[in-house]
Amino acid sequence: MEPSAVPRQVHTFREEYRAQAIGPGYRGWAHFAFTSLVCLGGITLALGRVEGVRAWELLGVPCMVVLANGVEFLGHRGPMHHSRRGLRRLFERHTAQHHRFFTHEAMAYESSRDFKMVLFPPVLLLFFLGAIATPLAALCFLLISANAGWLFLATALGYYLAYEWVHFSTHLPRDHWSARLPFVRFLRRHHQVHHDQSRMGRHNFNITFPLGDALCGTWWREKREQRRPAG
Ligand SMILES: [Zn+2]
Ligand SMILES: [Zn+2]
């Protein structure tokens, strides 16, 4: 699927991006650890506060996961692929940078310094935690129940981390052991199709699991494509 040689155009873009945007002090594994530990710490803290949980409160968790999948789908199909006022940096970082740094022919990072182009910036996690997840969790806490609030916070952070880990796994080297796990292999292929520049604006916007793509008809399927080539 993925040739070992990185196409010249991608190689040139990578070299320029690394020189301009990845400072000498950047540590990819520290970035990965920060994202993972903040999310896992928040999840542990929130779940530790849940007491005497009732069935209907637990039922809220799968509902939130489905909702989060919709947000992931719409955010990716919308502002990450279409420049919108106030969200231009998101478009730049995703379409103009991530999609040129990684194409379907060159999906793997070359060193841990390339993690900067895979993971969301730490400041985005802090913004998500402080300006979105915590206020919404507080609303659930006040309007529904204390458990609903803590479960909301744990689920929101869990979904954020799942997105980061799955996306990270799709950009691991081809021979990484995790690529042999069926579910990871499926998601890698799903995301690889999205990295084909002729398809990125129309197909496979989900990263974690392709519910939004299935419901909105944007899931690219090889057989259908073979019957009717994309125009
Ligand atoms: Zn990607
Ligand atoms: Zn994309």
Side-chain angles (χ1 to χ4, degrees):
M1 271 195 288
E2 182 187 321
S4 51
V6 174
R8 177 188 280 274
Q9 211 179 355
V10 176
H11 176 75
T12 305
F13 180 80
R14 287 182 176 187
E15 289 295 301
E16 286 171 3
Y17 180 85
R18 287 171 185 139
Q20 287 169 13
I22 306 179
Y26 177 78
R27 297 286 180 271
W29 284 112
H31 187 176
F32 183 87
F34 177 84
T35 298
S36 302
L37 292 176
V38 168
C39 290
L40 290 173
I43 293 166
T44 306
L45 182 114
L47 291 181
R49 301 296 178 113
V50 173
E51 279 178 6
V53 68
R54 287 161 286 187
W56 66 266
E57 289 171 328
L58 280 180
L59 270 178
V61 173
C63 295
M64 283 186 272
V65 169
V66 169
L67 197 69
N69 191 269
V71 172
E72 169 193 301
F73 175 83
L74 293 174
H76 192 177
R77 192 178 70 168
M80 287 167 86
H81 275 282
H82 300 276
S83 185
R84 304 260 161 83
R85 193 196 295 255
L87 296 170
R88 207 173 295 276
R89 281 191 67 185
L90 200 59
F91 169 80
E92 284 289 322
R93 185 178 159 79
H94 187 74
T95 299
Q97 296 174 359
H98 181 71
H99 273 280
R100 288 173 72 196
F101 200 99
F102 299 107
T103 70
H104 66 299
E105 294 175 315
M107 285 291 283
Y109 63 75
E110 292 174 63
S111 80
S112 60
R113 290 178 56 72
D114 291 349
F115 292 1
K116 187 162 185 182
M117 202 64 278
V118 181
L119 299 165
F120 287 135
V123 69
L124 190 75
L125 171 58
L126 297 179
F127 174 79
F128 172 77
L129 185 60
I132 299 173
T134 303
L136 288 177
L139 269 184
C140 291
F141 188 98
L142 294 171
L143 300 178
I144 304 172
S145 71
N147 282 343
W150 292 118
L151 287 172
F152 182 94
L153 188 60
T155 308
L157 284 172
Y159 199 93
Y160 187 99
L161 186 59
Y163 180 100
E164 288 287 68
W165 279 357
V166 170
H167 192 216
F168 186 79
S169 73
T170 66
H171 290 291
L172 283 170
R174 192 166 41 157
D175 55 359
H176 191 267
W177 63 268
S178 71
R180 289 193 291 276
L181 301 173
F183 193 57
V184 173
R185 196 168 58 208
F186 164 76
L187 290 172
R188 280 170 69 100
R189 177 65 186 146
H190 190 79
H191 193 52
Q192 186 184 23
V193 168
H194 176 69
H195 269 277
D196 182 337
Q197 296 203 343
S198 67
R199 298 193 177 104
M200 70 177 181
R202 291 176 297 142
H203 294 292
N204 293 12
F205 296 104
N206 278 127
I207 303 291
T208 50
F209 60 99
L211 179 65
D213 284 316
L215 294 176
C216 295
T218 52
W219 188 343
W220 184 82
R221 287 189 170 86
E222 221 145 335
K223 282 182 187 166
R224 191 179 64 184
E225 204 74 4
Q226 281 164 353
R227 285 202 305 272
R228 193 177 44 164

